[in-house]
Amino acid sequence: MNGFKTTRWYAIISVLAVTAMFVTGCAGANRGGLRNSREGGRAFETFHADPNHRYWYYNQENNPYALVGLQQPYRIEDIKWREVDPNSKTFEKVIGLVQDFPARGAFSYGAYILDPQAQQIGMWYSSLNAGINVNPETKVVSISAAMPWIDDDGWYGSGVGVGIGSGGGGVGVRLGF
């Protein structure tokens, strides 16, 4: 009986390891990133908009969690992100809300958005971390970030992660994207 339980654990761990490698392997080809930048944070905080960038905010105008500026022709095509005119009062309002109301336990910061070759393609301002994917052919940028407005358990992770735990006689698995 002990051999069966051990074999079962090895099988579960193997399946999870293969799944994690598959998920991260598929995402890695177009994986971009963030590189912290004080200058980037100051640019947003002083409402300095680059004329060669288009801007989007994450979530709702009255409850934003991030602001992004992307060099043209890069763009975001995701309903959680809304484009905003950098010459509008809404732009200033969103920056102020992102700065003054960060996610619980965090602070707002600026960063460069990088493509898979580590070339700067935009700016990030938020209290969240994010996973960045860039399609070099379509120039569509996909950003995976936590959704604090719906998370009720206080977990504000981002990116891809796999956790394995046991307790209460069972096995738990948590995938975060």
Side-chain angles (χ1 to χ4, degrees), residues 82-97:
R82 293 173 173 79
E83 191 165 6
V84 61
D85 180 354
N87 298 312
S88 68
K89 289 291 182 189
T90 301
F91 184 72
E92 293 180 16
K93 174 184 172 183
V94 167
I95 291 172
L97 290 170

Side-chain angles (χ1 to χ4, degrees), residues 9-20:
W9 275 107
Y10 284 128
I12 290 170
I13 291 170
S14 296
V15 167
L16 290 173
V18 169
T19 301

Side-chain angles (χ1 to χ4, degrees), residues 84-175:
V84 61
D85 180 354
N87 298 312
S88 68
K89 289 291 182 189
T90 301
F91 184 72
E92 293 180 16
K93 174 184 172 183
V94 167
I95 291 172
L97 290 170
V98 169
Q99 181 178 14
D100 295 340
F101 298 98
R104 182 175 49 189
F107 60 91
S108 299
Y109 69 98
Y112 295 123
I113 298 174
L114 307 174
D115 70 5
Q117 290 75 38
Q119 299 299 310
Q120 181 183 335
I121 61 167
M123 300 296 293
W124 169 264
Y125 188 66
S126 180
S127 59
L128 303 175
N129 288 322
I132 309 290
N133 279 299
V134 180
N135 185 320
E137 294 170 10
T138 65
K139 304 296 186 202
V140 172
V141 176
S142 300
I143 302 175
S144 301
M147 294 185 286
W149 61 94
I150 62 169
D151 285 341
D152 59 358
D153 64 356
W155 180 76
Y156 299 122
S158 63
V160 178
V162 177
I164 303 171
S166 64
V171 175
V173 175
R174 179 172 196 145
L175 297 174

Side-chain angles (χ1 to χ4, degrees), residues 47-115:
F47 311 115
H48 175 76
D50 187 317
N52 298 316
H53 284 71
R54 290 172 58 193
Y55 291 86
W56 289 263
Y57 60 88
Y58 187 52
N59 197 26
Q60 300 169 342
E61 179 182 329
N62 291 324
N63 193 19
Y65 280 92
L67 193 66
V68 167
L70 295 175
Q71 293 174 5
Q72 296 184 39
Y74 292 97
R75 65 190 183 286
I76 296 174
E77 294 180 351
D78 184 331
I79 61 171
K80 292 184 291 280
W81 290 88
R82 293 173 173 79
E83 191 165 6
V84 61
D85 180 354
N87 298 312
S88 68
K89 289 291 182 189
T90 301
F91 184 72
E92 293 180 16
K93 174 184 172 183
V94 167
I95 291 172
L97 290 170
V98 169
Q99 181 178 14
D100 295 340
F101 298 98
R104 182 175 49 189
F107 60 91
S108 299
Y109 69 98
Y112 295 123
I113 298 174
L114 307 174
D115 70 5

